[in-house]
Amino acid sequence: MGTQRYDLIVIGAGSAARYGANKAKEHGAKVALIEHERWGGSCPNVACTPTKAYLVVADLAHKINTLASEIGIEVGPATANLARVRTWKETLRRPQEEWVDDLRAAGFDTFQGTASFVDAHVVRVGDAELSADKILIATGSRTAVPPIEGIDQVDWLDHVSALELEELPVSLLVVGAGAVGLEFGQAFSRFGSKVTLVDALDEIAPHTDEHAAMELRTALEAEGIPIMLGCFVEKVAARNDRHVATVVPRTGGMEQEVEFDRVLLASGRRPNIEDLNLEAAGVATYKLGIVADERMRTSVPGIWAAGDVDGQSPFTPAAQYQARIAVEDMYRPGEGPAADYSVLPTAIFTDPELAGVGLTHMAAEEQGFEAETVVHPLRAVRRASYVDAKHGLFKIVFDQPSRRVLGLHVVAPGASEIVQGLSIALRLGVTVDELAEAHHTFPTFGQGVKAAAERARVTIPA
């Protein structure tokens, strides 16, 4: 069989890949999709969808055990049957055959296997050789294994394999206190595992507002989850049918030992690029993945990269956004939009959730703004008393001269929805006074944002 010709070759079949393929189809492109592991990618198969399903189970069990009797509901203690939870989770996933059938029905050619560049315009997959003037690399990322002595002797878990467990670990050590570590840590703690979180940084949830991160940490610790910060796991070893981790302070000091049954790695991601033979195409890489500019162009004309593989913004909506920018640049070179992450809402789906959009106070000052901050506590919002919510906040960062809101950071039930709803207001240049004057529905947690804005008018008058 000779070389098969396409207008666009998309390497990957996740969120960025499928979104990019569909956008190219709008331009009449003949598109080939290559996938070596999971059609549909991580988000619907092993990440966003199943993880959030587990969080629903954990939240329901927790509320039954902590809130039900207090508000007059008589019910026995809730326990999670992990095997049944897993079975339910599986019903939320589409079969791989269905993904392929739907992609083919949409007019795409699909190829199962590992893609490898022959040159800048030719890709080999199995026995097939494909060529195109345009190629989009969207191969995603996977769990990075930290340099822990003995980790290769341990049957470690990550966000994929943890969702396959049918027996609950008695104790779980979570390495990493970012979004994945925090969500899984709280979920398994609520299922009944004794969970310990360890992170080398000085605060949980890096890249979020430090004040908000501290508030979430306080909530998790009050729930009985120990969090060891400024520490790293130096080594792990078997001991008496269990395991022990040696935890060492980052800046020196007394080491500690933590016993565990299972360990979950959640301290970083690695781009899936090793098997692509990028050298043959001349595509430049760096520590976090493929080098791509603000229009997702790589170092080679005709090749773009989007999603986790470029290491810029590891979120599913951002992957789709990048794919759209890439395809726009393919068909309107230099005329399409450049990537802008200044108003990118993000969330960690713990309980309470931590969500933010825009700048932190520190980032605002670094960018030259005369930044001011106002904070309203969650407990001062009426609805918090209905669900016994004690920890949370609503924080607004704004520019004092213009009064324009620069950032919004929320720790509360439903924080993701609050931030998502107000992200467009930030993009349109809303002022703190306009937030204070806005109508709100009562009694919602979103009322806390208005209350924070009202504080700005009282304590920091215009």
Side-chain angles (χ1 to χ4, degrees):
M1 182 183 294
T3 300
Q4 300 177 59
R5 179 73 183 170
Y6 292 90
D7 298 309
L8 171 65
I9 296 171
V10 180
I11 306 176
S15 298
R18 289 180 286 110
Y19 198 89
N22 280 308
K23 294 299 292 184
K25 184 182 174 185
E26 295 175 7
H27 294 273
K30 181 183 179 183
V31 181
L33 281 160
I34 304 172
E35 175 55 44
H36 83 287
E37 187 174 11
R38 298 185 192 92
W39 292 98
S42 291
C43 188
N45 287 303
V46 296
C48 319
T49 298
T51 299
K52 302 311 175 278
Y54 271 46
L55 296 179
V56 168
V57 176
D59 184 59
L60 180 58
H62 181 71
K63 282 184 168 55
I64 290 172
N65 290 331
T66 61
L67 186 62
S69 62
E70 183 177 329
I71 62 177
I73 298 175
E74 297 181 0
V75 62
T79 58
N81 182 323
L82 207 54
R84 292 185 61 186
V85 174
R86 178 183 178 274
T87 299
W88 170 66
K89 178 261 298 184
E90 288 298 304
T91 68
L92 304 177
R93 294 171 53 176
R94 296 174 62 191
Q96 287 291 286
E97 300 78 14
E98 189 175 312
W99 280 107
V100 175
D101 290 345
D102 287 351
L103 289 168
R104 289 176 177 170
F108 303 118
D109 286 356
T110 61
F111 295 85
Q112 179 78 47
T114 300
S116 177
F117 278 92
V118 176
D119 59 38
H121 298 291
V122 177
V123 175
R124 182 175 292 117
V125 52
D127 296 329
E129 192 169 88
L130 319 178
S131 70
D133 291 333
K134 303 177 180 67
I135 297 175
L136 175 63
I137 304 173
T139 47
S141 65
R142 65 188 185 281
T143 298
V145 181
I148 299 173
E149 181 183 338
I151 193 66
D152 56 341
Q153 304 299 314
V154 175
D155 185 19
W156 51 264
L157 302 167
D158 65 0
H159 73 285
V160 178
S161 55
L163 295 171
E164 299 305 310
L165 292 177
E166 296 195 348
E167 292 186 8
L168 190 68
V170 174
S171 57
L172 178 69
L173 175 65
V174 179
V175 182
V180 173
L182 294 170
E183 291 178 3
F184 273 86
Q186 185 180 46
F188 274 81
S189 176
R190 289 180 167 187
F191 288 159
S193 294
K194 180 183 178 183
V195 173
T196 302
L197 282 143
V198 179
D199 198 289
L201 299 180
D202 294 327
E203 190 51 87
I204 67 170
H207 312 304
T208 67
D209 177 80
E210 189 173 3
H211 189 182
M214 188 182 303
E215 186 73 9
L216 174 58
R217 173 168 55 83
T218 300
L220 295 174
E221 290 175 334
E223 200 171 298
I225 302 174
I227 302 176
M228 304 173 68
L229 296 173
C231 301
F232 64 93
V233 178
E234 182 181 66
K235 61 183 177 180
V236 294
R239 179 188 292 173
N240 300 329
D241 297 326
R242 301 187 72 197
H243 296 88
V244 62
T246 302
V247 181
V248 179
R250 189 185 69 243
T251 56
M254 186 74 70
E255 65 181 38
Q256 301 179 61
E257 288 190 344
V258 177
E259 287 194 346
F260 64 92
D261 292 301
R262 302 299 300 267
V263 59
L264 187 146
L265 303 182
S267 59
R269 307 286 297 167
R270 287 190 63 185
N272 294 322
I273 58 176
E274 292 87 352
D275 297 328
L276 293 175
N277 194 27
L278 294 174
E279 298 83 2
V283 175
T285 62
Y286 71 123
K287 180 180 179 181
L288 299 180
I290 293 174
V291 176
D293 68 9
E294 70 278 2
R295 286 187 169 84
M296 306 302 116
R297 301 167 182 162
T298 70
S299 58
V300 179
I303 302 179
W304 290 257
D308 285 10
V309 76
D310 66 20
Q312 295 187 43
S313 188
F315 307 103
T316 295
Q320 296 170 341
Y321 170 69
Q322 290 178 354
R324 183 175 75 241
I325 289 173
V327 174
E328 283 288 308
D329 190 60
M330 292 176 192
Y331 292 94
R332 293 195 300 132
E335 298 179 17
D340 176 10
Y341 307 105
S342 61
V343 190
L344 174 67
T346 62
I348 297 175
F349 292 92
T350 46
D351 175 27
E353 295 177 354
L354 188 163
V357 63
L359 301 177
T360 63
H361 187 275
M362 182 181 297
E365 288 188 330
E366 290 174 350
Q367 293 189 22
F369 290 102
E370 190 177 327
E372 297 285 357
T373 298
V374 287
V375 178
H376 187 73
L378 175 69
R379 63 181 179 276
V381 177
R382 178 69 60 84
R383 192 172 182 180
S385 63
Y386 306 160
V387 293
D388 197 30
K390 297 181 177 64
H391 304 280
L393 57 79
F394 304 85
K395 181 175 182 178
I396 299 173
V397 181
F398 65 99
D399 179 49
Q400 171 61 15
S402 67
R403 310 286 287 175
R404 183 166 68 90
V405 176
L406 304 173
L408 175 64
H409 308 280
V410 178
V411 179
S416 57
E417 305 290 352
I418 296 167
V419 166
Q420 174 65 55
L422 288 171
S423 63
I424 188 64
L426 267 70
R427 184 174 292 279
L428 296 174
V430 69
T431 67
V432 70
D433 304 294
E434 288 170 333
L435 284 182
E437 294 166 359
H439 295 292
H440 69 276
T441 53
F442 178 85
T444 62
F445 286 113
Q447 178 192 355
V449 176
K450 176 180 171 64
E454 289 171 342
R455 283 176 178 250
R457 304 190 79 179
V458 174
T459 60
I460 310 172

